[in-house]
């Protein structure tokens, strides 16, 4: 659970940088015990499709390491935003699209070679632009999405798969192939993985991307963007330089 713990520590660090005291907090996560170690006496609810959240009740909502499994991620974000008081803070962490890229390639190449077909062996995960756009769709103000990538090494692909099972991060897609994969498939995938993604004679690498999302419940007290063209000073004046017009254009008059 080292990746989940890293997400918890990162969210805690981000909260320390916010100049605010939160008095009503709720955490949405399947890893309740881990969060209780770091934030005891905090309300924790499971990541169900319909979240047990009351409208405009919390000043902080945390959604930790489960958004990538949601059937309706926009719905999850909207429910969290509605649960926030005006100017409340939302923080989330989830796996991003570059997670397990090496495993995805190895399994795909092996399956095509053995079965002449392809099924989703690794669940798709959202990219940083996609998830940032979801924050806007959900109605958050001042949305921010950023990413952290971690390269982990394993002795072989079997060691990586064991870690994924222990994390609860195996494939749960409804569209996955329901029959058991053959041993030959995984043996071939292990060979492809070792040949293509070896870091030295004894280790292979696996990429994990964690995307962090930040947004605020809209409130009149928050800063608003200025209307385009409403500036009262020129950038050239601020920089102490001369403004040069492009060919075919005239310099704008100062107001």
């Amino acid at each position: 659970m080292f990746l989940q713990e890293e997400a918890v520590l990162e969210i805690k660090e981000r909260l320390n940088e916010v100049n605010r005291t939160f008095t009503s907090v709720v955490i949405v996560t399947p890893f309740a015990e881990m969060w209780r170690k770091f934030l005891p006496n905090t309300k924790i609810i499971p990541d169900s499709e319909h979240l047990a959240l009351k409208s405009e009740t919390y000043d902080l909502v945390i959604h930790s390491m489960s958004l990538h499994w949601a059937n309706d991620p926009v719905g999850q974000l909207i429910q969290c935003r509605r649960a926030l008081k005006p100017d409340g803070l939302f923080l989330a962490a989830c796996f991003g699209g570059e997670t397990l890229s090496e495993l995805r390639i190895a399994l795909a190449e092996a399956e095509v070679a053995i079965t002449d077909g392809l099924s989703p062996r690794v669940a798709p995960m959202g990219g940083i632009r996609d998830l940032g756009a979801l924050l806007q769709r959900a109605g958050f103000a001042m949305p921010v999405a950023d990413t952290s990538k971690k390269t982990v090494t394993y002795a072989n692909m079997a060691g990586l798969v064991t870690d994924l099972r222990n994390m609860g991060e195996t494939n749960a897609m409804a569209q996955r192939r329901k029959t058991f994969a053959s041993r030959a498939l995984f043996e071939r995938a292990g060979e492809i993985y070792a040949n293509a993604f070896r870091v030295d004679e004894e280790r292979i690498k696996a990429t994990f991307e964690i995307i962090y999302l930040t947004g605020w419940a809209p409130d009149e007290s928050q800063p608003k963007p200025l209307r385009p063209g409403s500036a009262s000073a020129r950038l050239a004046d601020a920089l102490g330089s001369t403004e040069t017009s492009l060919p075919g254009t005239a310099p704008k008059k100062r107001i």
Side-chain angles (χ1 to χ4, degrees):
M1 308 302 286
F2 62 98
L3 293 168
Q4 286 77 5
E5 185 169 325
E6 182 168 311
V8 171
L9 294 173
E10 177 64 25
I11 289 175
K12 283 198 66 179
E13 185 173 329
R14 289 169 186 240
L15 288 174
N16 291 335
E17 296 173 358
V18 178
N19 187 24
R20 182 177 298 190
T21 300
F22 298 100
T23 57
S24 53
V25 181
V26 64
I27 302 170
V28 181
T29 184
F31 307 105
E33 291 304 318
M34 181 172 296
W35 273 100
R36 286 194 182 98
K37 290 192 303 182
F38 293 98
L39 289 176
N41 305 319
T42 300
K43 182 177 180 179
I44 301 174
I45 64 172
D47 56 325
S48 56
E49 195 163 337
H50 300 287
L51 301 176
L53 298 173
K54 294 182 179 179
S55 179
E56 295 191 10
T57 302
Y58 308 97
D59 53 16
L60 173 62
V61 175
I62 298 172
H63 203 300
S64 179
M65 297 304 284
S66 60
L67 192 60
H68 54 281
W69 282 123
N71 291 322
D72 181 15
V74 179
Q76 292 279 304
L77 295 177
I78 290 174
Q79 290 179 75
C80 291
R81 194 257 302 160
R82 289 175 176 171
L84 285 168
K85 299 175 182 178
D87 203 33
L89 176 61
F90 171 75
L91 287 172
C94 64
F95 283 124
E98 295 189 38
T99 298
L100 300 175
S101 56
E102 303 89 351
L103 181 62
R104 195 186 308 271
I105 292 170
L107 287 171
E109 290 187 8
E111 189 161 21
V112 169
I114 291 175
T115 68
D116 200 28
L118 189 60
S119 62
R121 297 286 177 183
V122 180
M125 303 173 197
I128 186 169
R129 291 185 180 181
D130 300 325
L131 292 172
L134 293 187
L135 282 174
Q136 291 182 309
R137 284 183 58 189
F140 283 102
M142 298 180 286
V144 176
D146 59 279
T147 182
S148 173
K149 294 179 186 176
K150 191 178 189 68
T151 300
V152 184
T153 65
Y154 292 90
N156 48 47
M157 195 184 84
L160 167 60
V161 172
T162 298
D163 243 8
L164 295 176
R165 286 183 180 139
N166 291 336
M167 291 179 197
E169 294 291 346
T170 51
N171 191 1
M173 290 185 64
Q175 295 85 359
R176 73 190 188 280
R177 185 170 292 179
K178 301 302 191 294
T179 57
F180 287 106
S182 67
R183 175 175 292 183
L185 171 64
F186 285 103
E187 289 177 349
R188 179 69 180 124
E191 293 171 1
I192 294 171
Y193 204 128
N195 291 331
F197 304 109
R198 186 178 297 279
V199 292
D200 56 36
E201 292 300 319
E202 297 181 350
R203 310 288 290 180
I204 60 172
K205 68 175 183 176
T207 299
F208 292 93
E209 179 187 29
I210 300 178
I211 294 178
Y212 296 94
L213 305 176
T214 305
W216 297 82
D219 186 70
E220 287 300 319
S221 65
Q222 294 166 349
K224 304 290 190 299
L226 295 175
R227 179 176 54 84
S230 62
S232 59
R234 299 190 310 156
L235 179 61
D237 293 340
L239 298 176
S241 61
T242 302
E243 182 177 354
T244 303
S245 300
L246 294 173
T249 63
K252 292 182 179 180
K253 295 180 180 180
R254 294 188 61 184
I255 299 176

